[in-house]
Structure formats: structure tokens, C-alpha cells
Amino acid sequence: METRTVGIGAGAKELATEDMVLNIGPQHPSTHGVLRLRLTLDGERISAAEPIVGYMHRGAEKLFEVRDFRQIIVLANRHDWLSAFANELGVVIAVERMLGMEVPERAVWARTLLAELNRVLNHLMFLGSYPLEVGAITPIFYSFREREELQRVMEEISGGRMHYMFNRVGGLKEDLPAGWLGRTRAAVASVRSRMSDIDDLIMGNEIFRARTRGVGVLTPEQIQQYGVSGPIARASGVDFDLRRDEPYLAYGDLDVRVVTRTEGDCLARFECLLDQVHASLDLADTCLTRLADLPPGPINQRLPKVLKVPQGHTYAWTENPLGINGYYLVSRGEKTPWRLKLRSASFNNIQVLSEMLPGTLVADMIAILGSMFFVVGDIDK
């Protein structure tokens, strides 16, 4: 805090204080990338906060407009680089809806399986990196051990570790490799059996609980005002999940367990992620069983050499790992979209920081920021 002396001489006791404006970022190591926070401090307490975005802006929405419906997928899976498969889904679902295309059953169940594996991969990343923000280094080694189990089977089926490019309009790129279902089932069982290691390591840690319990409380009213979604919203008691409430893919045939908490603090958000991993592993097991029982059949639809989408518009939204991800597609009957607007989860989730941070201590800012589980590319698009 800066102070300014008002009086002059030995008897001058009256002091006036000035607020300090502090920039966190855009290159600060604890912001998962180049986000900037402009904080106004009154001593050790934050009096105002403004998230300043745009440092990673790549103009993806304009690039969509000059690429055909096959090429868009390679751009769409990159804005949230921890949820690439889920990002692809929204695009292909929107295009298939416009075409009136029915996707083969094997593709529907395989997509659902891969979406849940991608969700687990995303959550494991934050389960490891968030304790790192508040001073615990060990959990990230455990979470990366589990991520590697699942990355191996994802890489085997798609050829990619982060940007899978496995979805296609009409289904998936190719059929599942021989023996892949068995290897995936073994990987899911292995991850489930060792999740208790992460649970015991973090949830039993008194320092971690002290840094997160009652810190950064987000109310359901704030969530509704800012359009916050995903695990962050559910940690505050907002019981909404598109997989259950507006099913797509095979979710209508699945018993989707929606994980919620009521506290709305940093600890509740972390607990939601941890429990969601178990719920997603259960869904993955169900999908594996169903795929094993399905008779042989196609995994995609044959497409014309030049794919043109009929004139019209549609909005396809999906429950991405970090929240609601939506694509508003407008077509004029050409091979490229006239407009493809992206509604990303992290953009809305991060805006609520301007409401959450005022009144909190600077020391709690990193704990709050890390618990918002955002990817900067998903903010800036």
C-alpha cells in the first residue's frame, strides 16, 4: 500500500491512503497462460478486480468461415486444449443436425465413451495442477500417472495425444482397433483403483483444506447472472448437466450421476472434479460393455467429395468438461459456414471473478483463480 503524508512537521499524524493497482499477468506463472487480472488493493484486501482477456486471441470464429466443414474440426478442437474431443463433438453434431443425418449406433456409443475418457483426462489435469497452485507439488505426479494410462488408449485409437481429430461428420474417422476395448477397460480399472491415492493425498491435507474451505464462495445468483456452468456451477448447488437434462449422443440411455455440492467454495469445486472422475469412469465402463455387445457395423457415413450444408441455422450445445460449450451454425448452402459462433465455457466462468475477488485477501487470490479451472484458449478463442 502506498501512503501519502498530509501534515508537515513533528505534529503531523494524519495519514491518507491510496489504493494500489496491481497487474497479475499477462505472463504470471500462476494463471495457466496469458490472462491478466487488474486488481485494486486496499492494503491486503482486494477492492476491485477486472479480468482482461484477449492476449491469446486467434480469431478462430473468422477462420471457421473460410474452411469447409471437414477442416473446421481441426480448429475447433484447439480452443480448450484439454477437451479436444469434446470440442469436436459440438461441430459435428451441429452439421449432422443440419444435414438430417443419422449416425451409426457404434459411432454414437464410441463417441460417448471417448467424450467421458476426455472428461477424465481434463479433470485429472486440474486435480494435479490446482494443489500445485497452493503449494503441494506431489499430487501432479499422481494425476499424470493416471492421465498416461488413458492417454495411451486415446493415442492408440486416434493417433493424437491432445488434438485427436477423430470425429467426422457422420461418425468417427475409423473403426476401433482389434483388442482396443479390452485395453481401455483395463486402463479405466487401473485409474479407478488408484484414484484413492490422489484423494488421500489431498483431501486429508489440513493445509490444503485451510487454504480452500470457505474461500472464494460463488452464489447460485452470481452463476445465473454470468452464465457460469460445469463443475464450478454445480459446486454451488446449481444442479444442471446437459448430459442428463438435454441428452445427446447415448446419454439418454445412460444413468448420468450429476455431482453437486452446496458450499460453492474452492474446496467444493475441487471435490466436484474428484467425484466427477469416478462418475465418468462408471459411464465409460457402461459404454465399453455396450460396444462389446453391439454387432459389427459401420462407424461412419459415406460423404460426398464436396460437403454442402443446407441453408439454415442451428445451435448445438454439449456438456464439455469445463462447462457448456455451444456452436451456433449459420449456413447459406455453401461448403463453408456463413457464421459459426462459439460459446466457450471458460469465457463466462472467468468473468465472474470481478464479483468473486472483491473483499478477499490477496493471499487467497491464487487459490480462487486456480479453482475456476479455466483454459486460456477457451477464453480468448
Side-chain angles (χ1 to χ4, degrees):
M1 183 195 294
E2 298 175 356
T3 59
R4 183 177 60 198
T5 303
V6 176
I8 301 294
K13 295 181 180 178
E14 186 181 356
L15 296 177
T17 61
E18 292 181 350
D19 287 341
M20 174 187 284
V21 175
L22 181 66
N23 279 293
I24 306 293
Q27 69 287 334
H28 198 277
S30 61
T31 53
H32 301 235
V34 278
L35 173 72
R36 176 181 164 206
L37 282 178
R38 188 174 184 272
L39 306 178
T40 305
L41 307 182
D42 180 8
E44 289 294 313
R45 204 165 289 278
I46 298 169
S47 57
E50 179 189 5
I52 300 172
V53 304
Y55 290 93
M56 282 190 69
H57 181 59
R58 293 161 289 175
E61 290 176 345
K62 297 307 289 182
L63 293 173
F64 289 156
E65 295 172 15
V66 292
R67 281 161 176 77
D68 68 36
F69 291 101
R70 293 180 176 91
Q71 295 169 323
I72 284 169
I73 299 170
V74 77
L75 286 174
N77 70 16
R78 280 165 163 74
H79 57 88
D80 175 359
W81 47 77
L82 295 176
S83 312
F85 189 86
N87 298 341
E88 298 170 12
L89 270 176
V91 174
V92 294
I93 288 173
V95 175
E96 288 158 4
R97 188 180 297 165
M98 295 277 280
L99 290 167
M101 179 181 289
E102 190 170 338
V103 178
E105 189 177 12
R106 282 176 62 77
V108 171
W109 282 98
R111 279 178 174 179
T112 310
L113 167 63
L114 293 168
E116 290 307 309
L117 293 179
N118 194 191
R119 192 181 312 277
V120 174
L121 283 168
N122 175 291
H123 291 355
L124 281 170
M125 181 71 234
F126 287 108
L127 289 173
S129 67
Y130 181 49
L132 198 63
E133 309 276 12
V134 293
I137 193 171
T138 309
I140 199 162
F141 299 117
Y142 284 78
S143 65
F144 265 75
R145 178 187 66 181
E146 309 316 321
R147 273 174 59 83
E148 204 57 40
E149 289 274 356
L150 298 176
Q151 287 282 28
R152 193 175 296 117
V153 294
M154 294 292 278
E155 186 175 7
E156 179 187 352
I157 195 173
S158 68
R161 283 182 64 81
M162 288 185 71
H163 305 300
Y164 305 110
M165 271 304 293
F166 198 56
N167 275 295
R168 294 292 185 273
V169 175
L172 294 172
K173 178 185 173 186
E174 55 200 10
D175 208 344
L176 314 177
W180 183 83
L181 290 176
R183 289 187 289 278
T184 304
R185 189 180 289 280
V188 168
S190 174
V191 171
R192 180 187 284 106
S193 70
R194 297 192 301 213
M195 281 304 296
S196 59
D197 294 349
I198 299 176
D199 196 334
D200 296 342
L201 192 66
I202 304 169
M203 300 311 294
N205 188 306
E206 291 180 12
I207 299 173
F208 179 82
R209 298 181 78 87
R211 289 291 308 274
T212 55
R213 188 193 284 118
V215 174
V217 175
L218 188 58
T219 66
E221 292 73 29
Q222 290 170 329
I223 284 167
Q224 291 163 6
Q225 289 165 355
Y226 281 83
V228 176
S229 59
I232 297 171
R234 293 192 286 273
S236 295
V238 178
D239 189 6
F240 179 71
D241 191 312
L242 286 174
R243 295 173 299 166
R244 180 198 62 195
D245 300 327
E246 198 168 312
Y248 57 99
L249 296 182
Y251 289 116
D253 297 327
L254 292 169
D255 180 17
V256 179
R257 179 166 70 90
V258 179
V259 178
T260 60
R261 291 289 188 277
T262 55
E263 296 84 358
D265 57 8
C266 295
L267 183 61
R269 291 190 279 275
F270 188 85
E271 287 176 344
C272 271
L273 277 202
L274 195 58
D275 284 357
Q276 181 60 61
V277 168
H278 292 283
S280 290
L281 290 172
D282 291 343
L283 290 174
D285 264 342
T286 307
C287 292
L288 284 163
T289 300
R290 185 61 185 266
L291 278 167
D293 293 341
L294 284 177
I299 200 136
N300 52 35
Q301 297 275 23
R302 291 184 64 86
L303 298 176
K305 190 171 183 180
V306 177
L307 179 65
K308 293 187 177 182
V309 170
Q311 187 169 343
H313 60 89
T314 190
Y315 180 68
W317 58 349
T318 55
E319 187 68 42
N320 266 34
L322 297 181
I324 293 173
N325 189 78
Y327 292 98
Y328 179 58
L329 170 63
V330 183
S331 173
R332 290 191 170 175
E334 302 297 329
K335 65 177 183 179
T336 61
W338 182 75
R339 185 80 172 90
L340 187 56
K341 174 75 175 72
L342 166 61
R343 187 267 189 222
S344 60
S346 297
F347 182 81
N348 288 65
N349 291 358
I350 215 65
Q351 301 305 319
V352 79
L353 284 170
S354 60
E355 292 269 355
M356 290 177 69
L357 288 175
T360 64
L361 295 171
V362 179
D364 290 331
M365 186 266 297
I366 296 298
I368 296 169
L369 193 60
S371 75
M372 296 308 286
F373 310 130
F374 60 90
V375 170
V376 181
D378 202 40
I379 301 171
D380 290 347
K381 298 177 277 187

